[in-house]
Amino acid sequence: PAIDMTKIDYSLYLVTGRELLPPGKDYYESLEESIQGGVTVVQVREKKADTGEFLEIARRTKQICDKYSVPMFVNDRVDVALAVGATGVHLGQTDMPVSTARKLLELGHPDSPCLIGVSVGNVDEAKRAVLDGADYVGIGAVWVTTTKNLVKPVVGVRGVGDILDIVGDAGIPAVAIGGIKVHNALHTLHGAVGPITGTTLSGLAVVTEIIGAADASIPAKSLTRIINSRSKHFHWPALCLPANTSPSAALLAESAGELLTALREHSPLIHQITNNVVIAQSANATLALGASPIMATAPEEMEDLGKVVGGLLVNFGTITSKAGMLVAGKAANANKKPVVFDPVGVGATQFRRETASELLNSWQASIIKGNAGEIGALLGSSEVVTRGVDSVGPGFSDPANIVRALAKRERCIVVMTGKTDYVSDGYTAVALSNGHSMLGDVTGSGCMVGTAIAAFAAASRIVASERTEDEGKLVRGDMFQAAVAGVLAVTIASEIAAARPDVKGTGTFMSALIDELYNLKAQTIADRAMVEVL
Ligand code: 3NM
Ligand code: MG
């Protein structure tokens, strides 16, 4: 059947690269396998071939594509595209201008228009491509790659989102390219969403992961499965259930109690890379809640841990193991485990700001938890500044919108702690008003909230382990409910602890707080929770 130029399926876009074939592997055999595995569009890319050879490769590639009704683009060469009757050409930033290519293609094929794709690596190039009338764009490099000499900085998953806002507004489909593998495909799809328009990727473009395989159908099938499974959960709220329904205050209070019961029943292992001020305290809080702590920091053990843990907390209060944090988060993503990020004091130093950015570009957080200063610093807001690691001031004039904005941008749940705590998935925001002022007088109470959230996130994932609606999500379970539950557990326990007659000051308060986490009942959470849906 003829290819409908208005309905190209960009979902799995193969860019060829014969030099990356395994030794002895035939290019055409690999190509056919990849299409059988699910490749939906092919771009012939020949950087070294002479024109005659390029033409012959494009001609034979086209024959195979035609057999499966797969559209074929030609990299750079308008003449080759015209000669073989390709669906279109793909132009890089240093190739022929789009307008010139368009003219030549129209001259060559007056009655069947060809499509033009353009590579873009930043917002300005994307704006230009829109003005030039590109039919689709390839955004890259999203990850580090050695397949192409990169002349610009890697865009990163979050940077792809900003470009998607530009092209999405213009209705132009976009694929991401560069270093995309089976193991980071879901993260790429989840993270690369326009924070303003909600525009998503139309597909993933891949060279090495497919071409380099002994049987190209295997990675193609894996990628196809990931791309097809994401559709249902692609839009907000991507890390919650039930999707698209606002939770009621009563439901959130009740689910917090249920998650505590599940936490105690399953006792998941909570991996915590945290600061050396709170290690023992956080480990004890984990045990008091009914989970098991493991406080490992060595990068060498992260891959093994990623498989067995129930959830991960990355708290960078004292950054001594950045390498471990990077690998641990990637391993957690690869194993679909929740990742809670506590960017302690992120506004305080340049090093912390850069580290936070590097971590958020390397893995997808499920939940970010911080005080007003930290959330403000991540968002780049100057309304509240971080003074060291202490929470400062009354916070923002519109805190709900601050947490919403960061949640939307980072594609995760955001918790902002303070006298009132705020939680948002980017749409719904809730205010939680339990707690006691003594929490502010002891060290590490905020870190303890992060620990509790990680434990409840692990519990939520276990509860959802059979839920078919959660297939294709980066993390199973409801991260919104888990975040609310973690805050409620610590703040409600603090109220009960502070009211005890044996609490004489902050020392006995801390012991009492651990006691009350240990003694906390599901029903107590449900009864005492002060939740307001905003
Ligand atoms: N274009 P792999 S990156 C062809 O950034 C190409 O525009 C890029 O190869 C861009 O999947 C790239 O092997 C190579 O990393 C992608
Ligand atoms: Mg080029």
Side-chain angles (χ1 to χ4, degrees):
I3 289 156
D4 181 348
M5 303 290 244
T6 63
K7 287 203 195 89
I8 304 286
D9 176 1
Y10 290 102
S11 52
L12 185 54
Y13 186 129
L14 173 74
V15 180
T16 66
R18 287 183 301 133
E19 63 289 351
L20 294 165
L21 288 162
K25 179 85 184 178
D26 178 64
Y27 162 72
Y28 299 103
E29 186 192 11
S30 167
L31 176 69
E32 192 148 0
E33 285 167 1
S34 73
I35 294 175
Q36 285 164 352
V39 161
T40 60
V41 49
V42 172
Q43 179 196 133
V44 200
R45 187 169 182 269
E46 289 290 335
K47 287 302 182 191
K48 295 190 184 118
D50 289 334
T51 302
E53 192 188 12
F54 196 163
L55 202 54
E56 177 58 14
I57 291 166
R59 192 185 61 74
R60 286 190 61 190
T61 301
K62 174 105 182 354
Q63 280 175 353
I64 293 170
C65 288
D66 282 349
K67 184 167 146 195
Y68 298 92
S69 296
V70 164
M72 185 194 83
F73 287 81
V74 173
N75 184 273
D76 286 9
R77 295 285 297 266
V78 174
D79 54 346
V80 175
L82 280 170
V84 302
T87 306
V89 286
H90 185 90
L91 303 173
Q93 287 292 321
T94 55
D95 296 333
M96 185 183 286
V98 174
S99 55
T100 312
R102 182 82 70 198
K103 247 181 242 155
L104 290 172
L105 290 167
E106 277 167 11
L107 282 172
H109 271 179
D111 22 70
S112 61
C114 281
L115 300 178
I116 299 179
V118 177
S119 296
V120 300
N122 55 47
V123 163
D124 288 337
E125 289 174 1
K127 286 180 179 162
R128 182 80 246 163
V130 169
L131 287 176
D132 288 347
D135 294 297
Y136 77 89
V137 295
I139 305 173
V142 55
W143 301 101
V144 170
T145 178
T146 49
T147 305
K148 174 171 167 170
N149 280 332
L150 299 180
V151 291
K152 279 167 294 198
V154 165
V155 180
V157 172
R158 296 143 82 234
V160 173
D162 293 332
I163 295 176
L164 283 170
D165 273 337
I166 309 274
V167 297
D169 235 12
I172 297 172
V175 296
I177 184 163
I180 293 174
K181 312 281 176 197
V182 171
H183 75 79
N184 63 23
L186 190 56
H187 175 189
T188 309
L189 291 165
H190 174 99
V193 174
I196 299 166
T197 60
T199 305
T200 57
L201 286 168
S202 296
L204 301 177
V206 178
V207 185
T208 313
E209 188 73 336
I210 291 179
I211 301 274
D215 177 348
S217 73
I218 291 172
K221 272 184 196 146
S222 300
L223 289 165
T224 300
R225 200 177 322 113
I226 292 165
I227 291 164
N228 291 343
S229 71
R230 55 102 197 223
S231 58
K232 283 178 293 197
H233 304 289
F234 215 39
H235 293 279
W236 283 103
L239 291 168
C240 326
L241 260 188
N244 305 321
T245 51
S246 300
S248 72
L251 176 87
L252 285 167
E254 199 179 312
S255 76
E258 286 165 8
L259 287 175
L260 180 65
T261 305
L263 185 55
R264 292 191 166 145
E265 185 184 335
H266 298 284
S267 195
L269 191 57
I270 311 303
H271 178 198
Q272 300 168 62
I273 306 180
T274 192
N275 68 79
N276 51 32
V277 181
V278 301
I279 295 174
Q281 184 175 298
S282 293
N284 275 319
T286 311
L287 287 163
L289 281 167
S292 283
I294 178 162
M295 317 305 273
T297 56
E300 292 83 355
E301 57 190 344
M302 296 312 176
E303 230 172 272
D304 286 347
L305 279 175
K307 295 185 189 115
V308 296
V309 301
L312 169 70
L313 169 75
V314 175
N315 168 315
F316 76 1
T318 48
I319 312 173
T320 49
S321 52
K322 189 171 90 178
M325 293 177 183
L326 282 166
V327 193
K330 284 185 195 173
N333 279 169
N335 291 287
K336 298 191 173 201
K337 305 291 172 67
V339 181
V340 178
F341 181 39
D342 188 346
V344 178
V346 61
T349 64
Q350 181 70 12
F351 176 61
R352 283 179 198 237
R353 282 191 290 277
E354 284 170 9
T355 302
S357 184
E358 189 178 347
L359 295 175
L360 290 171
N361 275 330
S362 303
W363 36 254
Q364 174 64 51
S366 318
I367 301 167
I368 296 176
K369 184 228 72 108
N371 59 35
E374 291 152 0
I375 298 301
L378 285 185
L379 200 57
S381 162
S382 56
E383 210 180 316
V384 171
V385 287
T386 303
R387 191 194 60 207
V389 298
D390 297 336
S391 7
V392 278
F396 295 96
S397 50
D398 188 358
N401 266 334
I402 294 283
V403 291
R404 266 196 200 100
L406 188 65
K408 237 178 187 156
R409 205 186 70 191
E410 297 300 339
R411 301 273 301 147
C412 66
I413 309 300
V414 171
V415 178
M416 186 164 83
T417 54
K419 187 166 179 337
T420 303
D421 307 300
Y422 295 88
V423 182
S424 179
D425 59 8
Y427 288 94
T428 305
V430 297
L432 309 171
S433 34
N434 292 97
H436 191 275
S437 61
M438 267 211 229
L439 280 176
D441 299 332
V442 293
T443 192
S445 57
C447 299
M448 195 185 284
V449 172
T451 291
I453 290 172
F456 281 96
S460 181
R461 175 180 164 274
I462 293 167
V463 169
S465 63
E466 309 278 305
R467 207 152 58 190
T468 51
E469 308 94 285
D470 280 21
E471 274 164 33
K473 278 171 59 169
L474 198 59
V475 178
R476 284 174 180 271
D478 190 316
M479 297 298 113
F480 193 102
Q481 287 181 358
V484 168
V487 173
L488 289 177
V490 175
T491 54
I492 290 172
S494 81
E495 291 171 355
I496 302 170
R500 268 169 45 169
D502 59 324
V503 168
K504 305 275 189 284
T506 50
T508 40
F509 170 72
M510 185 48 84
S511 312
L513 178 57
I514 302 276
D515 285 351
E516 297 310 326
L517 286 174
Y518 182 78
N519 291 319
L520 195 60
K521 303 271 180 294
Q523 196 57 48
T524 310
I525 300 191
D527 290 345
R528 295 186 65 132
M530 292 163 69
V531 182
E532 188 192 353
V533 178
L534 301 169

